[in-house]
Amino acid sequence: MKRTLPILNLVVAIVLIFLSIAASGAHATHAHSTYHGLVANRIILEPTTYTNGKPFDVETSLRQIGATNFWFLLLGFGGAGMCIANGLVFLFVSREKRTPEKISARSA
């Protein structure tokens, strides 16, 4: 039982990392699809530019909305780190229950 909770915390940490990477990839895919949907429906007709004449990348701008790449990864890896820390606390701080069989085995 002493090792069950640390192992479960490690599994949850791995799941959190994969979920954060998947969410970040899903957002990038959605931005890509949105951009190409705008182009296909002729909402964006010509390459757009800033007022200073430099090209404006609409797809990159859509990907950067909300800084989701940063936040998803920060929350995922931060949560994974907390799960690993929690597992280590359970591993090193918790005691095993003393059953009569264990007590008699130690005294023998």
Side-chain angles (χ1 to χ4, degrees):
M1 183 65 186
K2 183 177 180 179
R3 293 190 179 115
T4 303
L5 288 175
I7 290 171
L8 288 175
N9 276 295
L10 185 61
V11 169
V12 170
I14 292 169
V15 168
L16 282 173
I17 288 171
F18 281 123
L19 283 177
S20 68
I21 292 170
S24 180
H27 179 71
T29 302
H30 186 259
H32 179 77
S33 299
T34 301
Y35 173 72
H36 286 286
L38 293 172
V39 170
N41 290 318
R42 296 183 181 163
I43 295 171
I44 300 175
L45 296 176
E46 58 187 41
T48 56
T49 58
Y50 286 109
T51 55
N52 61 4
K54 292 183 180 177
F56 177 67
D57 190 5
V58 177
E59 185 177 348
T60 303
S61 179
L62 288 172
R63 284 185 187 186
Q64 294 173 348
I65 291 174
T68 54
N69 192 29
F70 171 75
W71 288 111
F72 285 153
L73 295 178
L74 178 74
L75 290 173
F77 281 91
M82 294 303 290
C83 286
I84 291 172
N86 188 27
L88 290 174
V89 167
F90 275 116
L91 184 65
F92 292 117
V93 176
S94 65
R95 293 186 191 179
E96 290 185 35
K97 291 184 179 179
R98 299 183 78 190
T99 61
E101 295 82 24
K102 289 183 182 179
I103 294 171
S104 63
R106 286 185 186 168
S107 61

